[in-house]
Amino acid sequence: MLEVSMSGVAMRYSRVLLASSLLGGFLTCSSAGAYTVVAVMHGTSGASGDFDLPNLRGMQLAVSEVAARGGGLKGEKLTLQTVSPDGAIPTWEVSAYLLGASLTPAEVLKVAAATRSSGAALVLSGQGGAAVLPSLGGRGILVGFGDNAQAAAAANFALKHGWKSVMVMSQSDHSQSQDLTRYFRDAFHALGGGMLLSQNYDSADGDLKNPEVTRRLRATLKSVDALYLAAGNDDVSDLVRKLRSIGVTLPILGPDRLEFSLPSDLSAAQLGELYATVHTLISKNASGPLGKLMDRYSSAYNSPLQSSFTVVGYDALQLVVEAASKAGSAKANAVLAALNSMGAVQGIVGTQSFQVGSRVFSTDIMVMVRLTNAGHVLASAEPLTYLPKP
Amino acid sequence: MTRTMTRTMTRKGTQQAIIALTTSIACATLSNALAAPEPIVLGAVFNLTGALASLDVPAYNGAKLAVQELNAKGGVLGRPLKLVVEDTATDLKRIPAAAKRLMGQKVVALLGYTDTDAVKAFVPFSESAKLPFVVVGGTSPDLSGSGKRVFLEPFGDNTQAAVGAEFAHSSLGAKTVYLLEDTSNTYTTGLMKYFKDAFEHAGGKVGRKDTYTSGAKDFSSQIANIKALKPAADLLYVSALPDDIVNVVRAVRAAGIDTPIMGGDGYDTPDLLSKGGKSAENVFYTTHILLDPENGNSRAKDFIGKYKTQYQKLPENAFAALGYDAVRLIANALIRAKSTDSDALFKSLASTKGYDQITGSITFGSGVHIPSKAVTVVAVQRGQLNLAGEYTAKYVPKP
């Protein structure tokens, strides 16, 4: 039996409610279940929604799957409750928290403080999670990959293409962007890169309105082979469009944030080479577990699965279910202990395992895709040879 | 009657006086119109021949261009500028005689040189004459201060070395550096001292330091040392004069070493590309501006256009802009001083604040006449000079 409760930010989640209703029969009012997973997320529209809506839908699909096989743990009810990080967060009878990918490190810390009494695991899916893990009192676990991993994958990708001089554009007022820059720099030089230039921009100038900034950027970009956008929470789509409009034809690489940032008004020629690290390749031809999940997504939401954050959300919830199963208990401390002792876990994104010395469940293969108007095209899939320290 | 007569006489007298006065004024005006106002003479000293010519000739051309441009707009204080020049042919022994000749030409200010040693040799003469001396490209921070009437148009070597060190460590990822120093010149030894300080301050390590003397052709022992270095150097910092850097770069590359090479504004010579060819790839240097006709700022583009019109070629390097800026800096101070008196001009120059020029903004601090400008880093890639950025140093070694 399954219950999915939507509370706190229900009004902001109207799209989710609408979509969730398509799951048919799974939505009921919450009761005090012994097996409650709380998803802490922003809204499902705007920049946050880019991450959170697909993320949440992945969790919902996992919940429905658990329900279909008779519940997660000896038949107990599995309740997925969604709350806003700005509102009251329940701490009673919570098995684990799943933190949305759009939460900033500061918000993650705030949630950690508000839920300390629960002792429950804080399962993060990206967005700067690696940087705050040490500050979460042993409760933080990151699934998917850390920013250190995705920055290193991009650096490795650039160098394998012979792009030995690269410029990193960083959002000066965004901590995750600064972390990505640091990790990319570390990996780029460790892997034998040449010149790495930096260009900061603040979110107010995200679209490069300042002609002096544009002039300098254009002049400096003549000396590099590629551009890494250490994108934060701004509208990367506008940034890519502006860069192309001022004549920047260089290959552009970026983190998983770019997955949502395809300037749809640009032709293939205008778009040029645009690459991003993704948690998994979403392809129409996908088969196996991913293909099945895509089918179920289409049925549930009447649209194709397009974001790998859906898969991350799905895997994150399944990870908690598996931990509870392994622990033989849905109690918070038991689930957390089980998560901490799990080795390699097979998820849809691939085999995930704890990175040595960290609390990150990272995929064994890092995937980079070329973003095109026709969808994602696999550009590279290989293990990391160097991982910067968080 | 009497009254009438008196009135008549008075009226006549007045008329005559007016006529006389008018005639006098007209004559004086005519005389003044016929005699051109006395020019304001600026004395220039450059090494227009010899080893430093590749820096000093563009600098002199820039200075001439500024004078021509100012005169076309009516001169300064209503008087034309006149630039008199002495070529000391990269020979310090020629400086005393050149200085004597310049001082005898009623100069109100001096400018010139792109090399520290030349400046040092000339300063006693400019100080003795109590004339302000604007150094076009000499970059030792020791040149100014202590009440001297010496003003640097460029930044100091401690600043450019610091930016070089930070760029090497941060942008090139250099952890271990090999140092090669020309010990024959104050500029090269000073630059190296500041680079080492700043690089170690940034967390880098010096693997080894070797030396040579300007004019050397054989670098085999230094190359053997580079190859033997363990761990291998991530960067070779070579503090060299313009005439030597091409020889060093060629020798290093011929030995199969493709490690990045870095240095100061002494590399900013057309010879680096024209004579260095492919050997110059992966060379980086700090300088005052990269005069990019395509992507330069509006001031730089304007200067490039004027220089090209005047000399039928693009400015050879940043020193052309420094020469141009130096003349305009003096002109600006003359206008603010409203006088050509040397004391007034000195005070006016010393009070320069936020004066925007092609190579950056000039503000002189109290007692120290060295501006804090941004430093340009140039990368040689694919046979071209490319802008690698304009930086301000976080840590600047003390002079």
Side-chain angles (χ1 to χ4, degrees):
Chain A
M1 166 146 190
L2 170 79
E3 286 191 11
V4 177
S5 162
M6 310 299 285
S7 65
V9 288
M11 292 304 289
R12 295 171 64 191
Y13 281 79
S14 56
R15 285 167 64 192
V16 178
L17 284 166
L18 178 64
S20 298
S21 68
L22 297 171
L23 290 168
F26 298 130
L27 276 170
T28 66
C29 291
S30 174
S31 64
Y35 200 172
T36 300
V37 175
V38 176
V40 188
M41 295 183 162
H42 286 293
T44 53
S45 58
S48 301
D50 286 347
F51 295 106
D52 287 351
L53 181 60
N55 212 207
L56 180 62
R57 285 179 171 178
M59 294 173 196
Q60 289 172 329
L61 288 172
V63 168
S64 70
E65 192 176 290
V66 170
R69 61 176 190 244
L73 183 66
K74 299 174 185 173
E76 297 99 328
K77 293 182 290 185
L78 171 59
T79 302
L80 177 64
Q81 190 174 357
T82 57
V83 298
S84 162
D86 303 320
I89 302 172
T91 56
W92 185 249
E93 291 190 346
V94 175
S95 296
Y97 298 93
L98 301 182
L99 274 60
S102 70
L103 265 62
T104 64
E107 287 169 332
V108 172
L109 291 172
K110 187 178 154 194
V111 172
T115 61
R116 188 174 293 120
S117 63
S118 72
L122 300 162
V123 182
L124 290 77
S125 32
Q127 286 290 289
V132 295
L133 281 176
S135 309
L136 299 180
R139 293 164 59 210
I141 286 165
L142 181 67
V143 294
F145 47 61
D147 285 335
N148 52 344
Q150 64 170 330
N156 184 52
F157 182 81
L159 292 170
K160 288 213 165 180
H161 280 72
W163 302 332
K164 298 206 80 169
S165 294
V166 173
M167 174 183 279
V168 182
M169 286 189 72
S170 316
Q171 198 178 341
S172 52
D173 52 357
H174 196 269
S175 60
Q176 191 206 358
S177 179
Q178 295 298 315
D179 286 340
L180 280 165
T181 301
R182 181 164 55 88
Y183 295 137
F184 187 90
R185 181 186 302 281
D186 181 342
F188 185 75
H189 288 313
L191 295 169
M195 182 173 69
L196 187 73
L197 302 181
S198 309
Q199 171 77 48
N200 269 333
Y201 64 95
D202 61 45
S203 47
D205 286 335
D207 58 353
L208 303 177
K209 285 175 187 165
N210 185 334
E212 180 58 18
V213 172
T214 305
R215 179 194 67 73
R216 276 194 206 170
L217 183 63
R218 202 164 37 212
T220 317
L221 283 173
K222 284 168 69 179
S223 62
V224 300
D225 306 312
L227 186 61
Y228 182 72
L229 284 186
N233 61 354
D234 57 332
D235 190 345
V236 188
S237 173
D238 274 354
L239 190 55
V240 171
R241 186 184 298 105
K242 181 66 180 177
L243 286 167
R244 292 309 189 210
S245 74
I246 63 171
V248 177
T249 56
L250 295 168
I252 297 175
L253 298 84
D256 49 356
R257 179 75 183 86
L258 258 68
E259 183 183 315
F260 312 106
S261 308
L262 199 63
S264 54
D265 54 324
L266 298 186
S267 67
Q270 289 168 321
L271 198 60
E273 289 183 75
L274 189 59
Y275 302 94
T277 39
V278 291
H279 295 271
T280 192
L281 174 68
I282 305 297
S283 161
K284 289 174 190 169
N285 304 321
S287 58
L290 178 59
K292 286 179 186 170
L293 184 67
M294 291 175 74
D295 289 344
R296 293 186 52 228
Y297 186 99
S298 299
S299 300
Y301 300 108
N302 201 27
S303 63
L305 191 161
Q306 291 180 311
S307 168
S308 64
F309 277 91
T310 298
V311 185
V312 173
Y314 176 91
D315 275 355
L317 198 131
Q318 292 286 18
L319 186 66
V320 171
V321 171
E322 190 168 336
S325 178
K326 186 180 173 190
S329 166
K331 289 189 181 302
N333 56 356
V335 171
L336 177 59
L339 282 169
N340 280 327
S341 64
M342 287 174 85
V345 180
Q346 186 61 44
I348 292 184
V349 298
T351 303
Q352 295 194 67
S353 53
F354 265 121
Q355 288 170 14
V356 177
S358 74
R359 302 179 59 79
V360 181
F361 269 101
S362 188
T363 46
D364 52 348
I365 300 292
M366 294 299 296
V367 177
M368 289 207 69
V369 296
R370 180 167 178 178
L371 306 172
T372 74
N373 292 323
H376 297 179
V377 177
L378 182 65
S380 149
E382 53 185 285
L384 287 176
T385 55
Y386 176 81
L387 184 67
K389 286 181 183 172
Chain B
M1 175 78 182
T2 305
R3 193 185 296 168
T4 307
M5 281 185 69
T6 305
R7 273 184 189 162
T8 306
M9 286 300 288
T10 303
R11 191 178 295 131
K12 277 184 181 176
T14 305
Q15 284 171 346
Q16 284 168 350
I18 290 170
I19 290 166
L21 182 62
T22 307
T23 306
S24 168
I25 290 169
C27 288
T29 306
L30 186 62
S31 170
N32 284 345
L34 290 173
E38 190 182 358
I40 298 172
V41 183
L42 306 180
V45 272
F46 286 105
N47 289 307
L48 301 176
T49 49
L52 289 163
S54 67
L55 308 190
D56 280 31
V57 169
Y60 177 47
N61 285 342
K64 282 191 294 182
L65 184 61
V67 168
Q68 185 186 52
E69 186 181 302
L70 288 163
N71 285 341
K73 290 180 179 173
V76 174
L77 303 177
R79 296 163 60 184
L81 290 179
K82 182 182 176 187
L83 191 66
V84 292
V85 66
E86 285 288 333
D87 172 17
T88 50
T90 320
D91 181 355
L92 298 179
K93 292 194 292 290
R94 296 193 184 202
I95 290 177
K100 193 176 177 185
R101 285 193 294 275
L102 276 181
M103 306 310 174
Q105 298 191 59
K106 294 184 182 176
V107 296
V108 303
L110 298 155
L111 68 139
Y113 287 141
T114 62
D115 176 59
T116 294
D117 282 336
V119 174
K120 281 191 164 178
F122 186 79
V123 162
F125 300 99
S126 65
E127 288 292 299
S128 174
K130 295 186 176 177
L131 287 173
F133 176 30
V134 175
V135 178
V136 170
T139 41
S140 169
D142 299 328
L143 293 174
S144 181
S146 306
K148 288 181 197 165
R149 299 189 178 216
V150 180
F151 297 84
L152 264 62
E153 176 61 48
F155 45 64
D157 284 331
N158 49 343
T159 300
Q160 69 165 323
V163 165
E166 286 170 16
F167 184 87
H169 194 258
S170 175
S171 295
L172 300 178
K175 292 183 175 66
T176 304
V177 66
Y178 168 85
L179 305 177
L180 182 57
E181 175 186 324
D182 171 5
T183 53
S184 68
N185 185 278
T186 305
Y187 158 70
T188 51
T189 53
L191 187 69
M192 184 59 88
K193 179 183 73 173
Y194 297 128
F195 177 84
K196 181 175 179 291
D197 181 338
F199 188 72
E200 288 176 335
H201 185 267
K205 287 183 180 174
V206 174
R208 185 185 171 88
K209 180 182 172 187
D210 282 330
T211 60
Y212 71 99
T213 305
S214 180
K217 298 283 189 291
D218 180 9
F219 296 94
S220 55
S221 64
Q222 292 93 334
I223 286 168
N225 289 337
I226 295 169
K227 287 186 170 178
L229 203 56
K230 286 182 182 171
D234 305 308
L235 176 81
L236 315 181
Y237 192 84
V238 182
S239 190
L241 289 174
D243 250 24
D244 296 318
I245 185 56
V246 173
N247 293 331
V248 175
V249 163
R250 277 179 171 169
V252 168
R253 298 299 187 231
I257 299 169
D258 61 359
T259 308
I261 297 173
M262 191 174 205
D265 57 344
Y267 289 27
D268 195 352
T269 160
D271 293 349
L272 184 62
L273 286 186
S274 64
K275 294 181 182 172
K278 287 185 179 176
S279 301
E281 279 298 298
N282 216 15
V283 168
F284 302 84
Y285 63 88
T286 46
T287 189
H288 311 273
I289 189 172
L290 177 64
L291 292 166
D292 180 348
E294 192 182 340
N295 292 308
N297 63 26
S298 56
R299 278 197 189 89
K301 279 183 175 176
D302 184 50
F303 172 71
I304 292 166
K306 287 172 185 165
Y307 195 95
K308 193 176 176 187
T309 302
Q310 182 67 24
Y311 301 111
Q312 285 77 54
K313 60 185 173 184
L314 293 171
E316 295 90 333
N317 50 26
F319 293 94
L322 285 173
Y324 180 88
D325 279 351
V327 167
R328 294 190 69 90
L329 176 66
I330 295 170
N332 175 268
L334 282 166
I335 292 165
R336 285 187 288 111
K338 298 175 184 169
S339 167
T340 58
D341 173 73
S342 64
D343 285 338
L345 180 56
F346 168 69
K347 285 176 186 167
S348 181
L349 274 167
S351 66
T352 302
K353 191 174 181 182
Y355 181 49
D356 289 332
Q357 301 196 286
I358 297 169
T359 55
S361 181
I362 294 251
T363 296
F364 291 125
S366 59
V368 179
H369 308 140
I370 305 173
S372 298
K373 293 179 176 176
V375 178
T376 297
V377 179
V378 173
V380 183
Q381 293 162 315
R382 297 176 285 273
Q384 288 188 323
L385 302 180
N386 290 320
L387 179 69
E390 293 159 359
Y391 301 91
T392 305
K394 291 175 190 152
Y395 164 77
V396 179
K398 287 182 180 171

